[in-house]
Amino acid sequence: MNIDLRRIVFAIAALTFISGLIQMLAPSFVLSMVGGTINPTSSHLFAIIGMFMLFFGGLMVHGVCIHSHTVVFWAGLQKFGAAIAVYIGVQNDLFSWLALLIAAFDLCSALLYWYYMSKIRYWKESP
């Protein structure tokens, strides 16, 4: 097994967990960083998004530990969906262009997760 790939994917999952926790606990802080409008509704919704980032990050940490193809697939979908959602937010002037860095990171993470998923299958089938 390629330990470096596994460690990178694990680090991304842990970062997703930690950033989700921060976003859940301090949504206005994160909104201000991405140029979003801060009001009770946007803060509440951003905290909910943070909660799901926390859940998917934790799930992916677990998925890496148990080599779960299914977990990695769904976590990759979450990252891909997040990339699209942030991109649409920038296009609709909800976030500053700096949020595109987040979208690019999430898109690259999704692709890396799915590459890792293909390697899990290979590693399980190898003698």
Side-chain angles (χ1 to χ4, degrees):
M1 177 184 315
N2 185 337
I3 293 297
D4 291 333
L5 177 60
R6 185 172 179 218
R7 285 184 180 161
I8 291 168
V9 169
F10 185 91
I12 291 170
L15 182 62
T16 300
F17 179 88
I18 292 165
S19 61
L21 179 63
I22 292 167
Q23 186 171 320
M24 187 175 75
L25 297 176
S28 297
F29 170 73
V30 178
L31 272 167
S32 69
M33 291 181 62
V34 297
T37 302
I38 301 170
N39 60 46
T41 303
S42 64
S43 293
H44 179 73
L45 293 175
F46 226 57
I48 292 170
I49 292 168
M51 177 188 66
F52 284 106
M53 288 173 58
L54 176 108
F55 290 164
F56 268 93
L59 177 68
M60 186 61 180
V61 164
H62 186 79
V64 171
C65 292
I66 64 170
H67 309 291
S68 173
H69 179 270
T70 304
V71 167
V72 176
F73 172 76
W74 284 99
L77 282 179
Q78 182 271 330
K79 286 290 192 185
F80 185 74
I84 292 169
V86 171
Y87 175 78
I88 290 170
V90 172
Q91 292 300 308
N92 290 326
D93 294 322
L94 299 174
F95 307 123
S96 74
W97 66 270
L98 287 173
L100 289 176
L101 297 173
I102 296 168
F105 178 79
D106 281 341
L107 178 61
C108 291
S109 296
L111 296 174
L112 189 63
Y113 280 11
W114 291 330
Y115 175 71
Y116 175 73
M117 181 181 69
S118 73
K119 293 297 183 184
I120 291 172
R121 195 173 264 164
Y122 171 76
W123 293 327
K124 284 185 176 181
E125 294 172 359
S126 295

